[in-house]
DNA sequence: TAAAAGCTTGTAGCTGCTTCAGGGTCAAGG
DNA sequence: CCTTGACCCTGAAGCAGCTACAAGCTTTTA
């Protein structure tokens, strides 16, 4: 299987596959006599696994760890459990702040009722006022995203 | 006001302030005789405005546009309206996929009931199975994030 | 007086890709 | 036989939005 075929089979772009190889997430494939990469079934499965993890928004570093667990059975399962738990917590935290964000934006939009000049735009006024420190859900919370 | 004071006043890191200046989001401040940056009230307000927009996850390019609107009153308010509308749509889309993600992870976690070796880890099994194409909410949807 | 804190500039690093430049390989059509 | 086009190769740079150096100033504090 050449790289383009693997790409078509998994829906992953060719460049991304090469990137994963560089990052040592995907084992280096065999090579044909002309230098083209040659993949087997195990590559396809591994790539699908990686993409599934990525769909769960698991960072590549953690995917690497999971792949390590796959490689070495007999390890403590608690580590995996913890990894997923942490990921869930991260997602939930982001979900929360995104919901707050949605409310904010919806409220902001409500302010604009077809006035015509920006000088009178409720949205802009609101943004300025909020920046001035009036009651506002965004300000005050220490960090919203990239919450470490 | 020196840069450190502005940073303390707004909760924005010093490096970030200098970055905004480089990116022309913040007007170049005056300088003291020793070369230190010297900020006034208008800088503080502008910075607060930027941070407020960022808290709403509005990209810097759009913040730049909003700042332009602030500068030039008399423009059509519809543009602002549209910008916020688009932002709201973006946030809602991400919210949706994040909710799906949360369900997935919660389900995944449920699989792990204190077994001890990774070889028998329900989570890992599940991830592998899902990657194989069994029924799975993550796969099948074209794109989850960076949905263009 | 000396260390610590704060400022300056410029540059590189982070994540997870994506894109580009500059080539080689191969099958089909004229 | 030659060209066109699709595919492949490597290596490097670019994206957002910061963050973190390095190397050298000034100012404040002990």
């Amino acid at each position: 299987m050449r790289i383009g075929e693997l790409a078509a089979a998994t829906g992953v772009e060719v460049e991304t596959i090469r990137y994963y190889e560089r990052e040592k997430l995907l084992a280096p494939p065999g090579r044909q006599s002309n230098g083209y990469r040659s993949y087997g079934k195990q590559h396809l499965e591994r790539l699908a696994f990686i993409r599934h993890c990525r769909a769960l928004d698991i960072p590549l570093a953690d995917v690497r760890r999971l792949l390590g667990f796959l490689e070495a059975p007999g390890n403590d399962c608690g580590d995996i459990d913890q990894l997923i738990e942490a990921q869930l917590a991260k997602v939930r935290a982001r979900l929360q702040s995104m919901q707050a964000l949605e409310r904010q934006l919806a409220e902001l939009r409500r302010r604009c009722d077809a006035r015509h000049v920006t000088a009178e735009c409720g949205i802009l006024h609101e943004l300025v006022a909020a920046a001035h420190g009036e009651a506002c859900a965004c300000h005050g919370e220490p960090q919203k995203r990239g919450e470490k």
Side-chain angles (χ1 to χ4, degrees), chain A residues 9-145:
Chain A
T10 54
V12 179
E13 286 201 45
V14 167
E15 276 89 4
T16 307
I17 297 175
R18 285 197 282 248
Y19 168 73
Y20 286 161
E21 185 184 333
R22 273 203 305 284
E23 295 295 305
K24 306 202 187 301
L25 286 156
L26 216 45
R31 296 285 180 149
Q32 292 173 346
S33 54
N34 53 13
Y36 287 12
R37 287 172 178 80
S38 174
Y39 294 96
K41 201 179 158 203
Q42 70 283 10
H43 286 106
L44 193 146
E45 282 174 18
R46 205 169 160 122
L47 181 54
F49 179 87
I50 295 170
R51 290 314 290 198
H52 187 74
C53 291
R54 292 294 301 130
L56 293 173
D57 215 9
I58 296 172
L60 287 184
D62 286 349
V63 176
R64 224 184 307 262
R65 288 185 58 206
L66 286 174
L67 286 168
F69 288 136
L70 267 183
E71 228 82 306
N75 254 315
D76 187 8
C77 177
D79 290 352
I80 296 174
D81 212 8
Q82 232 179 332
L83 195 153
I84 296 299
E85 183 71 36
Q87 182 62 20
L88 185 55
K90 211 169 69 185
V91 165
R92 283 188 172 152
R94 265 195 293 179
L95 207 46
Q96 286 254 332
S97 69
M98 288 257 285
Q99 274 157 354
L101 209 160
E102 198 246 291
R103 278 194 301 274
Q104 284 278 316
L105 283 168
E107 173 61 23
L108 204 54
R109 193 186 47 173
R110 217 176 50 73
R111 300 292 166 128
C112 202
D113 47 355
R115 285 181 190 121
H116 282 65
V117 249
T118 59
E120 290 159 8
C121 179
I123 290 178
L124 218 46
H125 278 187
E126 187 68 10
L127 281 171
V128 171
H132 270 241
E134 265 100 289
C136 152
C138 324
H139 273 75
E141 292 172 37
Q143 270 154 310
K144 304 225 70 93
R145 39 199 319 255

